[in-house]
Amino acid sequence: MIEVKNLVKRYGDHTAVDHLSFQIEKGKIYGFLGPNGAGKSTTMNIITGYIASTEGTVSIDGHDILEEPEKAKKCIGYLPEQPPLYFDMTVLEYLKFAADLKKIPKDKKNEMIQEVMDTVKITDMKNRLIKNLSKGYRQRVGLAQAILGYPDVIILDEPTVGLDPKQIIEIRDLIKNLKKKHTVILSSHILSEVSAVCDYVLIISHGKLVASDTPDNLSKLAAGSNNLSLIVKGEKESIRRLLSEIPGVKTITVNSAENENGWRVKLSTEESADIREEVFYKMAENHYPILEMQSEKVSLEEIFLELTDGGNDKKDDSSQKSKTENHEEEGGEQ
Ligand code: ADP
Ligand code: MG
């Protein structure tokens, strides 16, 4: 349906999109997941023909976005990050205007607008001025505009940003319903959102594709390595050596445990290796009491943070700060 090949976008010497390639198939919901500044909006703006790429090609249903822009754009409905709403129009006026822009035939126009308003549940608001609508309703009007004309592909840039939890759930349900008739691509910097809604996730960091898979498979990837956290009393280096002899152990960190007379030991282990009993016997043989032992599954969230440099793509002070914070949560250096 959509084929993106080697897409590059440079702003001066800053590379916002860095050799992105992927394919979008019909009838699924795709999620672009990445921290702020990762290049999601830039990619969406290129796919929809709003801005030109520096290098690379985008083809939509076989139509190149640069060579056949009209045909390619006809296949796409787009809700940009800032919805292009006219605040002094009523909902109905605005949708009529949008329908004209999309060259929807006059005889179908009114019926289609009514259908779309029903779909996103704004019929009650049709005579209100857009400036008097809440953020949630404005977002629905933007969504209605994207769906008008029933394009094959609907592209939504951070559709739930700024909404309250109830509105978020409603918009998510709406998006899930779109899948029946459309291919959907949405972007988000929130992992839980993407895994709740999407069939397939593309994780983007610094303009590069760093992972792409189903949420299930990404979770399995996360489950592929498990952590074991211990508090052990004994001699530090000897604890480290004994634990390193256990098959399946990948990494060991030993730090002094807060509020305890012992060591906080973190072990990462290979997929499906359950080393808890061995750890117990090894420590018991050497009279090193285990005060605490806890298995920790590596979450999808941690994978996401790892793949995207701690979830921060901006190299400014705030990124440094959040990295330090993450570090502290991990409880010490590797
Ligand atoms: P995202 O949508 O993932 O938050 P964007 O695609 O908006 O990321 O931005 C990617 C990078 O490109 C950012 O570093 C941003 O500052 C930069 N960028 C985006 N648009 C422009 C522009 N018009 N001029 C210069 N830099 C830009
Ligand atoms: Mg964006």
Side-chain angles (χ1 to χ4, degrees):
M1 188 76 230
I2 297 186
E3 190 162 12
V4 170
K5 272 194 206 156
N6 257 318
L7 213 59
V8 177
K9 179 71 186 179
R10 291 193 195 95
Y11 291 110
D13 54 10
H14 176 70
T15 307
V17 175
D18 195 355
H19 296 91
L20 267 191
S21 297
F22 56 85
Q23 285 182 13
I24 302 286
E25 283 161 32
K26 236 187 160 99
K28 285 188 183 162
I29 303 185
Y30 288 81
F32 280 0
L33 177 64
N36 290 329
K40 304 180 295 295
S41 298
T42 306
T43 306
M44 291 180 146
N45 281 332
I46 296 171
I47 296 177
T48 52
Y50 266 56
I51 60 172
S53 64
T54 312
E55 284 172 36
T57 57
V58 175
S59 109
I60 293 148
D61 211 10
H63 307 291
D64 188 285
I65 192 76
L66 294 178
E67 285 163 19
E68 300 177 278
E70 287 221 348
K71 279 186 182 154
K73 283 184 189 174
K74 234 188 150 62
C75 306
I76 297 179
Y78 186 29
L79 176 63
E81 208 160 21
Q82 316 284 342
L85 299 174
Y86 292 93
F87 283 24
D88 288 323
M89 288 184 179
T90 65
V91 171
L92 193 58
E93 282 166 353
Y94 173 69
L95 290 178
K96 281 184 176 166
F97 168 74
D100 290 341
L101 279 184
K102 292 192 177 200
K103 301 196 175 88
I104 291 167
K106 283 229 150 35
D107 54 327
K108 291 195 185 142
K109 192 165 95 174
N110 288 338
E111 189 188 338
M112 196 183 280
I113 288 174
Q114 189 56 54
E115 264 177 31
V116 168
M117 287 194 303
D118 287 343
T119 306
V120 304
K121 302 193 176 70
I122 49 170
T123 308
D124 292 349
M125 303 286 161
K126 68 179 176 189
N127 294 319
R128 290 247 197 128
L129 288 175
I130 290 176
K131 68 178 170 199
N132 295 334
L133 295 179
S134 68
K135 169 97 181 149
Y137 272 103
R138 283 184 198 163
Q139 199 68 354
R140 285 171 200 234
V141 176
L143 202 55
Q145 165 275 135
I147 302 171
L148 260 184
Y150 301 121
D152 288 337
V153 186
I154 293 184
I155 299 184
L156 311 169
D157 196 355
E158 307 244 11
T160 61
V161 149
L163 303 185
D164 67 37
K166 184 166 169 276
Q167 294 168 330
I168 288 178
I169 292 171
E170 287 168 359
I171 292 277
R172 278 185 194 170
D173 288 342
L174 268 174
I175 293 170
K176 281 190 202 159
N177 269 323
L178 290 179
K179 192 170 84 160
K180 291 176 192 150
K181 288 189 198 157
H182 309 267
T183 304
V184 182
I185 307 175
L186 63 90
S187 72
S188 175
H189 60 283
I190 305 159
L191 172 75
S192 58
E193 169 151 297
V194 166
S195 41
V197 178
C198 300
D199 302 306
Y200 207 85
V201 183
L202 301 139
I203 302 182
I204 298 172
S205 174
H206 298 292
K208 291 193 178 75
L209 190 64
V210 290
S212 64
D213 217 323
T214 61
D216 265 5
N217 280 343
L218 288 172
S219 297
K220 278 185 201 145
L221 185 75
S225 98
N226 291 328
N227 290 339
L228 196 63
S229 173
L230 309 168
I231 296 181
V232 188
K233 270 166 111 171
E235 202 276 310
K236 185 179 180 182
E237 284 316 309
S238 156
I239 292 171
R240 185 195 288 278
R241 184 178 46 77
L242 290 165
L243 291 173
S244 71
E245 289 165 3
I246 297 174
V249 171
K250 287 200 295 198
T251 62
I252 306 177
T253 61
V254 185
N255 291 300
S256 52
E258 308 122 40
N259 311 323
E260 290 276 6
N261 178 21
W263 301 102
R264 162 75 62 185
V265 182
K266 295 235 177 190
L267 298 168
S268 75
T269 61
E270 270 160 27
E271 190 167 10
S272 70
D274 187 353
I275 59 164
R276 288 172 299 177
E277 289 185 23
E278 252 177 291
V279 167
F280 168 79
Y281 286 119
K282 265 250 177 315
M283 294 296 104
E285 277 166 22
N286 291 277
H287 304 282
Y288 292 158
I290 295 176
L291 307 180
E292 207 179 286
M293 177 169 355
Q294 202 171 18
S295 291
E296 294 166 350
K297 280 235 174 301
V298 178
S299 66
L300 198 49
E301 195 81 36
E302 284 170 276
I303 294 268
F304 171 52
L305 289 175
E306 192 176 313
L307 288 169
T308 58
D309 280 358
N312 222 309
D313 266 31
K314 292 230 168 82
K315 293 188 188 101
D316 55 19
D317 287 335
S318 65
S319 103
Q320 288 306 323
K321 187 165 166 273
S322 81
K323 266 188 195 159
T324 338
E325 278 164 9
N326 285 338
H327 221 74
E328 279 166 9
E329 272 163 34
E330 282 158 19
E333 88 283 14
Q334 280 293 101

